[in-house]
Amino acid sequence: MKTPRTTPSRLAKRAVYDEETIHAILDEGLFCTVSYVSDGEPRAIPTAYGREGNRLFIHGSVGSHFIRELENGGPVCLTVTLVDGLVLAKSGFSHSVNYRSVVVFARAEKVENGEEKVKALARITDQLVPGRWECLRPETESEVRKTTVLAFPLEEASAKVRTGGPNDEPEDLALPIWSGVIPVRTVRDQPQPDATSAGLPLPAHLA
Ligand SMILES: Cc1cc2nc3c(=O)[nH]c(=O)nc-3n(C[C@H](O)[C@H](O)[C@H](O)COP(=O)(O)OP(=O)(O)OC[C@H]3O[C@@H](n4cnc5c(N)ncnc54)[C@H](O)[C@@H]3O)c2cc1C
């Protein structure tokens, strides 16, 4: 949603607010950074998350200082960034990054309902490894009790996307300096079994 605080002052044309783009970026990320103010000072904590519909979930131990601060419902800013490329220009000034990023402003809502809480925990696990939750033993009541799940509505959110090559100054274009893009990807390598899994076949969701 476009609001005064989700409107960039620079290159606002790169900002988008449609749900489809915001959800696609969030669904590809592995972690978010949660920023908030504690005792008048800024804090930023990276953490895992999951999305279901128009809500983003994070989880943590009921004893976690960070989670207990957020659960009070104060204002929070969450970000997710995907880097797609390094943009090498002919001047340092024109270097850039190709990226897709999301900024969300929200307040935490504690998820108390047991069924909804377990569903959110499944989303967080599957965000890291899609299809993982289904093959795990069910969470025990005690594990669920010891975990706090917080939901953030994805209402006041913006995405920003940069694509393409460098935007060099016209007078620099003839300079004999290599320019272009180095694509960047997050790659999952071959899973490495631990000692208890040495004889087990790789499950379908990891193949
Ligand atoms: C990997 C990476 C590297 C970057 N490097 C630089 C850099 O070196 N220098 C630089 O100036 N900028 C950089 N940016 C862009 C930066 O994120 C800001 O978009 C940019 O600085 C414009 O700021 P602004 O003052 O217009 O935004 P502001 O006016 O401060 O932003 C207002 C609102 O616009 C929205 N917004 C702003 N930026 C983003 C974003 N990236 N994603 C989603 N929503 C956003 C938010 O809702 C924000 O609250 C980088 C971005 C990424 C992802």
Side-chain angles (χ1 to χ4, degrees):
M1 188 211 296
K2 192 169 181 178
T3 65
R5 64 179 178 173
T6 59
T7 308
S9 50
R10 282 195 64 255
L11 296 174
K13 64 175 194 292
R14 286 189 189 151
V16 286
Y17 302 91
D18 66 285
E19 235 176 51
E20 202 184 328
T21 306
I22 290 172
H23 288 181
I25 295 170
L26 293 177
D27 291 352
E28 203 175 315
L30 289 178
F31 70 92
C32 65
T33 301
V34 184
S35 306
Y36 61 101
V37 175
S38 171
D39 288 336
E41 289 188 358
R43 296 272 193 278
I45 305 286
T47 193
Y49 70 93
R51 178 187 74 83
E52 179 74 45
N54 215 26
R55 292 200 299 170
L56 187 143
F57 299 98
I58 66 168
H59 73 331
S61 157
V62 289
S64 151
H65 182 237
F66 145 66
I67 294 285
R68 278 192 286 123
E69 290 214 296
L70 297 185
E71 123 187 7
N72 293 332
V76 166
C77 180
L78 297 112
T79 62
V80 171
T81 304
L82 308 173
V83 173
D84 295 323
L86 308 175
V87 182
L88 278 57
K90 295 185 191 299
S91 66
F93 182 83
S94 294
H95 272 62
S96 191
V97 179
N98 282 339
Y99 64 85
R100 289 164 289 150
S101 56
V102 168
V103 172
V104 181
F105 294 101
R107 292 171 188 267
E109 295 160 3
K110 194 169 173 182
V111 179
E112 307 275 12
N113 173 307
E115 206 177 302
E116 197 190 0
K117 194 170 169 183
V118 173
K119 214 169 157 193
L121 292 172
R123 289 303 311 125
I124 296 168
T125 303
D126 282 353
Q127 176 85 20
L128 297 172
V129 185
R132 188 71 187 151
W133 190 262
E134 212 175 272
C135 80
L136 302 176
R137 69 145 172 79
E139 294 272 287
T140 64
E141 271 182 37
S142 154
E143 286 169 338
V144 175
R145 222 179 20 252
K146 283 190 225 161
T147 308
T148 298
V149 173
L150 302 177
F152 297 91
L154 294 171
E155 275 153 22
E156 194 176 359
S158 60
K160 212 171 160 189
V161 178
R162 190 206 188 272
T163 56
N167 295 320
D168 271 308
E169 299 300 324
E171 62 272 24
D172 291 339
L173 291 175
L175 292 174
I177 298 171
W178 192 96
S179 52
V181 175
I182 301 176
V184 173
R185 287 180 300 143
T186 300
V187 174
R188 287 164 198 253
D189 278 333
Q190 185 66 17
Q192 316 257 309
D194 69 5
T196 68
S197 305
L200 294 178
L202 202 60
H205 70 278
L206 298 183

